[in-house]
Structure formats: structure tokens, C-alpha cells
Amino acid sequence: LTKLLVGGIVAVVTSDCGATILWRFDRGVLYSSTWNIMRLLTPGSKLQRTWSDFIDALYAPVGQDFNALYWLYRLSSALLDTILPCRDDLRRIRINGFSSRLRPLIPCAGITLTLLCVGSYFTTFRDTAVIKKGKSETLHTSIVVWLAFNVLSHYLYCIYKSPGIVISPKSEMTANIDSSAAKRNDAVIKIGGCCFIQSRVKINEEKKRCNFYKHCTTNVKIEESTQNAHHPMPIDTFCHKCEIHRPARSHHCRVCKVCVLEYDHHCPWINGCIGYNNYRNFVLLIFYIMLGCWYGACLLALDFYAMMREYFQLHGFKIMGPQYGTGILDLPPPWTLLKDYRNTGKIDDDVILRAVFPFLLFVSICMFVFILDHLLSIAKGFTTLEKKTRPDRNDVVNPFDLGIRKNFERVFGKSLINIIIPFPAHKKW
């Protein structure tokens, strides 16, 4: 089965490489780019030699050992060495349709990972880490449900809530207007979304939000000093792609192809932009993911240590694992898990613990780094884009910096309830 899987993956990557590249192409560069790419796949190339060695090992007698990880490494290395020299030619061939079809699936993957972690608590860890140790089941279950509710709520808010779009004449021309919407004067623009359910942005609401934001930015005063540079500038700018005048701190997103108020960045995990209207939900999403992962890691830390210590005492310690050879955690391959599940109707609790605890610990550390970076940006009154493009000078003044306390109140509001419970908050400015 290992040979079959490895052979299938490599066959798809290599033999269908030309068909995938030529799936969408620019006819003007077809001949030159394709020739340069396919020239590296000649019989004398490194990829072809590695492929021939792989075929020989794949069809070797049954008694000889076949190391799947070794061949995955060799084939991946040869493929990278083949592709990297012609990366300029690959960029010239425009393959945008396939990636645009995959973007709506990325938020679905994030939601699925959240549900899997929550489900592992109810199926496995509630019994092993809570009930059997005499801990309060009601307390821990309530905390898990509260954290999961906040994560999923803010996740959906980020996906389907408008970041604050500057409506251009091009957007109004391409808006989805049906007969009932025309009577209500309620035209919408569809952007982003998850699982091919796109977010519906109402044009009239976006215009009102844009006018309100523009009114607030015009009230920002610039210090009367010629010695200081101001970043960002509180003046309107013109977008040549959307062909529209936009308020200060607005930027054009090349993925969504719209101008966003107080543009922070485009996040592939939500398949949309983070801006003025959904930045609060994004920061709270990171915070609750970090909090949930830290909570799960602390709950499982002692069990994970005891289990791994007993496992290494029983099987011995090896870097690539004493039993399956998949790494220091020694997780069984997917086909082994499937076979055990068919035989016993469940997956071993120790296997779930070895997979979930490192994942929670890794994600919690990453989220801590992200939330720290965003909190520092909020304290100084910058967005992520503005902080990266800030001039490296000591005399740069941010006219939108209201002070640490007011900067945080501007993003999160003054009510603590809206942070603990994911109620929609209305921003005054």
C-alpha cells in the first residue's frame, strides 16, 4: 500500500505536470515557456534519473526494504531542483482559475480543524483527562463550549462580514440586482465566502459606512510642523484600478479587487480582507484560538508526558520513532489508522493524544506571536500594512494615534461583555 500511494502521488505530479501547466496559459508565451520547462524533463535530467531509480525500487523483490520517506524526499528534492530554474517561465503562464476555485475551501479547512479539536474533547479527553481524574465535568465542558462558540462566531463574522468596501462605479455595474432587490434599492456585491457561499455586501450600507468614515478622517488634525513627516496621511487618495477617490488609509486588494477602508491585510484563512469593519473580530478570533489551544495544551500536558515516557520505556527512544518510523511522535500512517478503525471501531486514545497535544501547542505559540504583533500595532494606531510601510525615520508622526487607551477602545469598544460574548459591536469611529 505504501508503494502504491507513493507511486500514485509521484505519477500525478510528474506525468501530469505538462497538462497542469498548459491548463490555462497565455498564448503569447506558450511556445518559449513550455519549451524551457519541458526541456528540464528530458531523459538525462535529474528528475528523470531519480524517477527511474524510484521505479526500480518500487518493483524490487518483496524481500527488499522500501523506505517511503526516503523516496518522497528524493523525488521532492529533484522536483524542486527542476522547477526552481524555470520559475520565471512558470510565472509568465497565468494559472489563476484553479487557485480561485480553491480559496473558498481554505476557511472550510479552518472550521473543520476547530470542530475536530472540539470533537476530540467530547469523544476522548472528557473521559480520560476530566472524568477519570475527578475534575469538574460541568466546568471544563462549559469552558470548552464557550471557547468554541467564540472561535466559530468570530470566524464566521470575519468570513461573511464586510471589511468596509469603497464602492466604485465598476462595482455597481457588476452588482447582483434582481427584481425584488431593485424595488428595495438593495443591490449587493458578492465577495469572498466559504464553501462557495459568498458574502453578500449591500451597496447602500457600504456607501453610508464609507461616508461616515470619510467624515471621521477629515476631522483628524495634522500638526503644523514642517519638520515632522506624517504616516499615514489623513487625506483622500485616488485608486487607478477602481477609478475612484477613496478615504484616507484605504488600499486596494489585488485578490478581492476592491478598495478596503483601513486595509490591514488579505487573509487566505477567511478568504477575504481584514479592514475597518471586521478587524475587531479578527483580533478576537486570534485571541480565542490562542486561549483555546493554551487551555487544551495545559489540560493534556501531564497525560501527554506520562504517555510518551511510558511509550519510550516500552519501545525505546528513536528520533524517527521506534515502531512506525514517522517521527519522534511515532504516529501511525493513515492506512494503519484506517485498518485499526475498521477492526475496533475506534482510534486509540494514545494516538489521538499524540496528534492533538503537539498541534495545540504549536498553534498556541503561533497565535501568541500573531496577537502580540497586532496588539502592538493597535497600541501605536497602525494597521499591519501601515506598520510595514512606515518610513524608517524618528520624526514620523501618526495623526491617527489617539493614545494607547483610546486606540484600544476604538478597536474593541468600552464594553467588556462584547469581548466575552461575541455580540456584534457598532463602531462609532
Side-chain angles (χ1 to χ4, degrees), residues 369-381:
V369 175
F370 291 155
I371 194 68
L372 184 62
D373 181 65
H374 281 283
L375 291 179
L376 292 175
S377 299
I378 293 174
K380 296 180 181 179

Side-chain angles (χ1 to χ4, degrees), residues 350-419:
D350 290 346
V351 174
I352 298 177
L353 180 59
R354 274 183 282 162
V356 172
F357 176 79
F359 174 76
L360 294 177
L361 187 62
F362 173 76
V363 173
S364 62
I365 295 174
C366 293
M367 292 299 108
F368 175 75
V369 175
F370 291 155
I371 194 68
L372 184 62
D373 181 65
H374 281 283
L375 291 179
L376 292 175
S377 299
I378 293 174
K380 296 180 181 179
F382 287 116
T383 64
T384 301
L385 180 62
E386 292 168 352
K387 187 175 66 173
K388 289 183 178 180
T389 58
R390 181 180 183 272
D392 190 12
R393 295 167 52 183
N394 296 327
D395 58 345
V396 176
V397 177
N398 182 6
F400 297 94
D401 186 5
L402 307 176
I404 295 178
R405 180 177 178 181
K406 290 186 178 180
N407 286 339
F408 276 93
E409 288 181 353
R410 180 177 177 271
V411 174
F412 299 105
K414 297 181 180 181
S415 177
L416 186 62
I417 298 178
N418 288 336
I419 297 178

Side-chain angles (χ1 to χ4, degrees), residues 10-148:
V10 177
V12 170
V13 171
T14 55
S15 63
D16 294 342
C17 180
T20 305
I21 292 173
L22 300 179
W23 180 48
R24 282 180 177 257
F25 58 87
D26 188 350
R27 297 194 178 197
V29 298
L30 170 63
Y31 299 105
S32 61
S33 300
T34 307
W35 174 255
N36 291 332
I37 294 169
M38 300 306 294
R39 185 177 56 185
L40 298 173
L41 302 179
T42 56
S45 64
K46 180 180 178 181
L47 182 60
Q48 288 292 338
R49 294 195 304 269
T50 307
W51 177 257
S52 301
D53 296 340
F54 168 74
I55 293 298
D56 295 338
L58 191 65
Y59 292 100
V62 181
Q64 297 184 10
D65 187 23
F66 180 84
N67 193 330
L69 294 177
Y70 167 75
W71 283 109
L72 279 176
Y73 169 75
R74 277 197 60 182
L75 289 168
S76 300
S77 177
L79 188 62
L80 287 176
D81 291 341
T82 302
I83 292 177
L84 289 180
C86 57
R87 57 185 180 273
D88 294 332
D89 296 308
L90 288 173
R91 289 172 183 170
R92 295 176 66 191
I93 300 179
R94 301 170 185 175
I95 311 176
N96 295 325
F98 186 64
S99 61
S100 64
R101 291 183 178 91
L102 287 181
R103 289 185 192 123
L105 298 179
I106 299 178
C108 180
I111 295 175
T112 302
L113 286 175
T114 304
L115 294 177
L116 286 175
C117 291
V118 176
S120 65
Y121 169 80
F122 288 100
T123 58
T124 304
F125 303 127
R126 182 174 59 174
D127 295 332
T128 59
V130 177
I131 297 177
K132 292 183 179 180
K133 293 189 176 182
K135 299 178 181 178
S136 176
E137 179 186 0
T138 304
L139 176 62
H140 286 280
T141 303
S142 301
I143 294 175
V144 170
V145 171
W146 170 65
L147 292 172

Side-chain angles (χ1 to χ4, degrees), residues 263-283:
Y263 177 81
D264 190 85
H265 68 285
H266 180 90
C267 180
W269 285 101
I270 69 169
N271 190 28
C273 293
I274 304 300
Y276 167 73
N277 199 42
N278 63 351
Y279 182 65
R280 169 185 175 274
N281 298 108
F282 178 76
V283 177

Side-chain angles (χ1 to χ4, degrees), residues 145-387:
V145 171
W146 170 65
L147 292 172
F149 179 69
N150 274 279
V151 169
L152 293 175
S153 298
H154 289 296
Y155 207 153
L156 294 176
Y157 273 134
C158 290
I159 294 172
Y160 292 107
K161 190 176 181 180
S162 169
I165 297 176
V166 183
I167 302 298
S168 64
K170 292 183 179 180
S171 301
E172 293 189 79
M173 292 176 62
T174 58
N176 297 319
I177 305 177
D178 54 18
S179 58
S180 60
K183 294 180 181 178
R184 300 191 307 268
N185 194 20
D186 197 19
V188 298
I189 301 174
K190 293 183 178 180
I191 60 172
C194 172
C195 299
F196 308 102
I197 303 176
Q198 291 183 302
S199 173
R200 298 171 64 89
V201 177
K202 295 182 179 181
I203 291 180
N204 289 335
E205 291 185 2
E206 295 304 312
K207 287 183 176 180
K208 292 179 181 178
R209 182 180 293 112
C210 185
N211 292 332
F212 171 74
Y213 183 85
K214 186 175 181 179
H215 172 73
C216 295
T217 54
T218 54
N219 294 333
V220 176
K221 297 181 180 180
I222 302 179
E223 295 182 3
E224 297 295 334
S225 175
T226 57
Q227 297 179 354
N228 293 334
H230 298 88
H231 179 78
M233 287 294 291
I235 57 176
D236 294 353
T237 56
F238 183 79
C239 178
H240 295 279
K241 295 181 179 179
C242 295
E243 298 179 357
I244 189 175
H245 289 278
R246 59 194 180 188
R249 310 183 76 181
S250 302
H251 294 275
H252 185 85
C253 177
R254 62 181 180 84
V255 180
C256 298
K257 298 179 181 179
V258 293
C259 287
V260 179
L261 298 173
E262 210 165 304
Y263 177 81
D264 190 85
H265 68 285
H266 180 90
C267 180
W269 285 101
I270 69 169
N271 190 28
C273 293
I274 304 300
Y276 167 73
N277 199 42
N278 63 351
Y279 182 65
R280 169 185 175 274
N281 298 108
F282 178 76
V283 177
L284 290 177
L285 170 65
I286 298 177
F287 171 74
Y288 279 108
I289 291 177
M290 180 196 69
L291 196 63
C293 291
W294 274 121
Y295 171 78
C298 292
L299 186 65
L300 303 176
L302 295 178
D303 292 340
F304 177 79
Y305 173 75
M307 183 269 298
M308 292 301 295
R309 183 178 180 181
E310 181 181 355
Y311 186 80
F312 287 133
Q313 288 178 351
L314 180 63
H315 298 282
F317 178 80
K318 293 182 180 179
I319 297 297
M320 293 304 296
Q323 189 173 359
Y324 299 106
T326 56
I328 192 170
L329 296 174
D330 204 26
L331 292 171
W335 47 88
T336 304
L337 290 176
L338 181 61
K339 181 179 179 180
D340 294 341
Y341 182 77
R342 286 180 175 179
N343 294 333
T344 61
K346 61 174 295 186
I347 299 177
D348 189 14
D349 293 345
D350 290 346
V351 174
I352 298 177
L353 180 59
R354 274 183 282 162
V356 172
F357 176 79
F359 174 76
L360 294 177
L361 187 62
F362 173 76
V363 173
S364 62
I365 295 174
C366 293
M367 292 299 108
F368 175 75
V369 175
F370 291 155
I371 194 68
L372 184 62
D373 181 65
H374 281 283
L375 291 179
L376 292 175
S377 299
I378 293 174
K380 296 180 181 179
F382 287 116
T383 64
T384 301
L385 180 62
E386 292 168 352
K387 187 175 66 173

